[in-house]
Amino acid sequence: MNRRPAIFMDRDGTLSHEVGYVNHPNRFRLYPWTADAVRAINRAHWLAVVVTNQAGVARGYFPESVFDEVQERLRKGVESGGARFDAIYACLHHPSVGEPPYRADCDCRKPRPGLLRRAEAELGADLQRSWVIGDRHSDLQLAWNAGAQGALVKSGYGLGEHTHLAPGWSRQPDLVAENLLEAVERILGQGGE
Ligand SMILES: [Mg+2]
Ligand SMILES: [Zn+2]
């Protein structure tokens, strides 16, 4: 398989507004720059992959059908901007809440690297050359747990995490950007093919 680097993107606070649990599709809103960012990844022939934890299903806050509808909005939203995801991967588990199969001590709940390993196996992602972009420390830990690089965006929880928490982190983000588009442009600018 011809291995390619990937940009893994968190969903809430990175691709879309952080609004707490998206328990109805009407609460889901993409940022205005999201399709542009994903299109830039497509043009660079990197893989564009969403990686998201959605424990609201395990917690019983909303049925899996709501999650499916939101995925559809996400997919159509970027496609209407001329962009596409190579995959959308989600962890619907929670280690201690709810009922099986959603209550599970899985290997795919971020920051565990299961979703990135899946992209390595299914899409041929080259994790060493890949990045994770997200608004929380756990997104950075996900990257580092899989041998990838981590970028923190200041959208969503990112500004607060960067201001109040990052000084205490033992490892600093490999890149800090205002938003997803700036992060993508800088990653592709330094590592683009
Ligand atoms: Mg997030
Ligand atoms: Zn999981």
Side-chain angles (χ1 to χ4, degrees), residues 10-14 18 135-136 139:
D10 167 54
R11 195 189 82 184
D12 302 329
T14 304
E18 171 58 66
D135 67 321
R136 306 201 75 164
D139 296 306

Side-chain angles (χ1 to χ4, degrees), residues 137-138 140-141 144-145 161 164-174:
H137 190 219
S138 57
L140 303 173
Q141 291 174 305
W144 299 331
N145 285 343
E161 294 240 345
H164 304 299
L165 302 180
W169 295 342
S170 59
R171 177 171 172 178
Q172 292 300 304
D174 299 298

Side-chain angles (χ1 to χ4, degrees), residues 11 36 60 77 93 147 155 184:
R11 195 189 82 184
D36 289 345
H93 307 111
S155 54
V184 166

